[in-house]
């Protein structure tokens, strides 16, 4: 966790092989800088919650990791290789990205959508192999979407659709999942369901996850680590108990907040004073 809102320099000594590494990364649009001089490592195999107020740079940060945007300055690497040096198919096999707004899937069944996750492995003209079918079956089982596999995607509820899109990412068999607000517009029950699924997938399969979350209490409950942005700068980083505390929360949100333990789990819970 950082003590000041200065540019972050929180790099680990030796990042894990499948992690991201950022050195002095900034991102500009005409007339404006959206991300400032970020230097840190994101280890593999953990759930990292990315929090901060609207416009703090969270989605920009995630798009850089997903190669949806390119840094204006600095170096960004995945698995020890500069991100620009990855081939498109190799990168898609390693990193899966779920944007804020998922496209419609007219006429597609759940199984057909999940099967699209295998595209990076066989390409447009490759045969859908027994291994591909096995990965689709595994993804449906892990996300508890087998029972709806023949249903139309567009006929599902919001929570069910999110599970199906996650199943597609699981079928992609990537080593890292990048999720931009995966629980937005969902009710509390579905938020818990989705985040519990994400955490279980990470811990059971060793998959790294970076997820943009608006609700800091959900991040505290389901993430191994929290990374906070404000005005395009990293202002706090650490375990939930280190970030969900009055002083860091004041720095992140500009509000006086109190923190108490969850009555059952003991996870920190914050609320404004």
């Amino acid at each position: 966790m950082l003590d000041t809102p200065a540019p972050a320099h929180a790099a680990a000594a030796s990042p894990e092989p499948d992690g991201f590494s950022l050195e002095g990364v900034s991102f500009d649009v005409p007339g404006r800088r959206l991300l400032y001089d970020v230097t840190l490592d994101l280890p593999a195999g953990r759930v990292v919650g990315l929090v901060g107020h609207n416009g703090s740079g969270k989605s920009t940060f995630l798009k850089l990791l997903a190669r949806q945007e390119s840094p204006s300055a600095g170096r960004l690497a995945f698995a020890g290789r500069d991100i620009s040096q990855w081939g498109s198919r190799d990168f898609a096999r390693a990193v899966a990205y779920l944007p804020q707004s998922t496209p419609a899937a007219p006429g597609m069944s759940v199984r057909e959508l999940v099967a699209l996750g295998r595209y990076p492995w066989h390409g447009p003209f490759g045969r859908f192999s027994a291994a591909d079918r096995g990965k689709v079956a595994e993804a449906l089982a892990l996300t508890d979407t087998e029972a709806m596999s023949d249903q139309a995607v567009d006929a599902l509820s919001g929570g069910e659709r999110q599970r199906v899109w996650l199943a597609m990412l699981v079928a992609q068999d990537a080593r890292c999942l990048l999720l931009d607000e995966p629980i937005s517009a969902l009710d509390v029950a579905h938020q818990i369901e989705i985040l519990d699924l994400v955490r279980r997938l990470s811990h059971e399969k060793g998959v790294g996850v970076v997820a943009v979350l608006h609700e800091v209490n959900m991040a505290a409950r389901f993430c191994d680590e929290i990374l906070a942005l404000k005005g395009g700068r990293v202002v706090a980083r650490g375990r939930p108990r280190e970030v969900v505390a009055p002083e860091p929360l004041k720095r992140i949100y500009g509000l006086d907040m109190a923190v108490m333990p969850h009555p059952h789990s003991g996870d920190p819970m914050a609320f404004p004073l």
Side-chain angles (χ1 to χ4, degrees):
M1 183 177 67
L2 303 178
D3 294 327
T4 68
H9 297 281
S14 54
E16 295 181 51
D18 288 342
F20 285 95
S21 178
L22 296 85
E23 298 178 10
V25 169
S26 298
F27 181 73
D28 301 334
V29 294
R32 186 182 174 197
R33 175 156 288 190
L34 300 183
L35 205 64
Y36 291 82
D37 189 29
V38 177
T39 298
L40 53 77
D41 294 327
L42 292 173
R46 309 189 73 194
V47 182
V48 178
L50 193 58
V51 304
H53 58 77
N54 289 339
S56 60
K58 302 185 301 297
S59 291
T60 297
F61 185 92
L62 204 70
K63 286 178 180 178
L64 290 171
L65 300 185
R67 294 210 320 181
Q68 301 297 303
E69 300 284 1
S70 299
S72 301
R75 180 178 184 269
L76 172 57
F78 176 73
R81 192 194 318 176
D82 192 284
I83 204 166
S84 64
Q85 296 177 359
W86 283 81
S88 296
R89 182 174 291 184
D90 284 344
F91 191 74
R93 290 174 175 179
V95 178
Y97 171 60
L98 187 67
Q100 283 186 33
S101 300
T102 54
M108 294 191 71
S109 71
V110 167
R111 186 179 298 276
E112 289 169 337
L113 179 62
V114 174
L116 289 180
R118 299 303 301 161
Y119 180 86
W121 296 92
H122 59 70
F125 305 112
R127 296 183 58 186
F128 202 79
S129 66
D132 291 320
R133 288 191 291 273
K135 290 295 182 181
V136 170
E138 179 187 31
L140 290 168
L142 285 170
T143 56
D144 195 24
T145 51
E146 292 170 298
M148 62 181 80
S149 62
D150 294 324
Q151 296 182 41
V153 174
D154 288 352
L156 303 177
S157 69
E160 289 171 335
R161 280 197 301 273
Q162 285 294 80
R163 278 168 50 203
V164 170
W165 281 99
L166 282 172
M168 187 190 76
L169 266 62
V170 173
Q172 192 170 329
D173 204 25
R175 311 195 299 263
C176 181
L177 306 182
L178 304 175
L179 311 176
D180 197 348
E181 299 189 31
I183 60 172
S184 63
L186 298 182
D187 59 39
V188 173
H190 283 123
Q191 289 179 13
I192 292 172
E193 177 183 288
I194 293 298
L195 290 180
D196 184 65
L197 169 61
V198 168
R199 181 174 61 181
R200 180 162 50 86
L201 289 172
S202 174
H203 292 175
E204 290 180 3
K205 292 177 65 68
V207 174
V209 178
V210 182
V212 173
L213 300 171
H214 271 297
E215 174 52 63
V216 70
N217 288 330
M218 288 293 187
R221 179 171 178 178
F222 290 102
C223 296
D224 300 308
E225 182 178 346
I226 297 175
L227 181 66
L229 292 175
K230 184 175 184 179
R233 303 179 190 273
V234 177
V235 294
R237 181 184 182 184
R239 294 172 298 177
R241 292 180 184 277
E242 296 170 329
V243 176
V244 185
E247 192 277 329
L249 291 172
K250 173 75 170 181
R251 191 162 65 241
I252 298 165
Y253 297 107
L255 294 173
D256 290 319
M257 302 183 76
V259 177
M260 64 180 293
H262 188 282
H264 298 295
S265 67
D267 297 320
M269 298 174 56
F271 54 92
L273 293 174

